[in-house]
DNA sequence: TTGCTATTTGGCAATATAGCCAAATAGCAA
DNA sequence: TTGCTATTTGGCTATATTGCCAAATAGCAA
């Protein structure tokens, strides 16, 4: 694997890694509808504010969201809306998983 | 966040997590072209065979690849080819990152 | 100023991940 | 059988991630 390709793969992996957390996926989904402040996202997720703030920082670092301070609140917006197109495909991966599991179950229970 | 949504987000995050590693992305990209045995992928990645085998196991567990033993080799295939459509979008995320960084650089250097 | 709200950051403990080596397993052929 | 190749699994250490609490920072209003 040459160095150029390595860099390429690392950059892409970094973006995926930033997305690969349930709370961060929820944030992305909600931001697809409209912008939200940290406090709103915190209510939706139901974790500590500091935890949510760190999740947002991960998404920001990855280039997935942008933030804007207004008053004493910070609003986050989706930067690249296409990220959610992923999910149609992931859906089919999950369906494949189910198929696999049920055929596995069949083998086990026979 | 209700329990149903939580499950939904966890399932999707799991798939993304499985993809979020440079070596595993390389595997997915290569399998898009054609199936490969573990030894071929090991050569491409340049890590220990056991490491590559574990990466493949992660991808299999996530429902992204399937394996087929032929002789003393195991061939892996992409199960859901659409996963690589992600990359067009990730590309734009990366471009957004670059823009951000260069404007940041501008601020710093002024 | 003081107090209140919103957010970020530091620090810590628990858990998960990555990658190597060594050993186990399986297929094939001499 | 024995030996060789291909692959997986166990075990280990190093590193990264997660999520909380506590503290710092910032804006706004009394």
């Amino acid at each position: 694997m040459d160095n150029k390709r390595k860099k390429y793969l690392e950059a892409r992996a970094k973006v995926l890694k930033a997305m690969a957390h349930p709370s961060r996926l929820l944030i992305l989904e909600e931001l697809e509808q409209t912008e939200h402040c940290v406090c709103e996202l915190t209510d939706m997720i139901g974790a500590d504010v500091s935890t949510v703030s760190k999740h947002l920082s991960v998404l920001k670092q990855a280039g997935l969201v942008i933030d804007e301070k207004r008053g004493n609140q910070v609003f986050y917006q989706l930067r690249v809306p296409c990220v959610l197109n992923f999910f149609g495909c992931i859906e089919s991966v999950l369906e494949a998983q189910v198929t696999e599991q049920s055929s596995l179950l069949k083998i086990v229970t026979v």
Side-chain angles (χ1 to χ4, degrees), chain A:
Chain A
M1 175 163 39
D2 63 71
N3 208 53
K4 190 177 168 187
R5 186 169 194 194
K6 196 176 168 185
K7 294 277 181 199
Y8 164 99
L9 292 167
E10 281 169 358
R12 274 148 196 75
K14 197 178 150 192
V15 176
L16 286 168
K17 204 168 182 177
M19 298 177 67
H21 186 285
S23 300
R24 295 198 290 266
L25 281 185
L26 180 141
I27 291 170
L28 293 175
E29 282 191 3
E30 292 299 331
L31 295 185
E32 194 192 17
Q33 310 301 317
T34 181
E35 61 169 21
H36 285 288
C37 65
V38 181
C39 52
E40 287 168 337
L41 294 167
T42 299
D43 282 348
M44 294 175 198
I45 293 170
D48 194 272
V49 200
S50 68
T51 301
V52 174
S53 176
K54 282 179 185 172
H55 282 311
L56 286 163
S57 146
V58 170
L59 292 172
K60 187 180 163 185
Q61 192 93 27
L64 289 162
V65 301
I66 49 177
D67 61 337
E68 188 186 328
K69 183 156 198 170
R70 291 208 293 278
N72 59 352
Q73 291 181 310
V74 179
F75 288 86
Y76 282 83
Q77 298 180 2
L78 205 52
R79 185 180 213 170
V80 190
C82 64
V83 290
L84 293 165
N85 297 344
F86 277 178
F87 296 125
C89 175
I90 293 186
E91 200 63 48
S92 58
V93 175
L94 292 173
E95 277 162 26
Q97 278 182 5
V98 171
T99 311
E100 183 76 354
Q101 279 158 17
S102 62
S103 52
L104 198 66
L105 191 65
K106 220 180 290 176
I107 292 162
V108 171
T109 51
V110 162

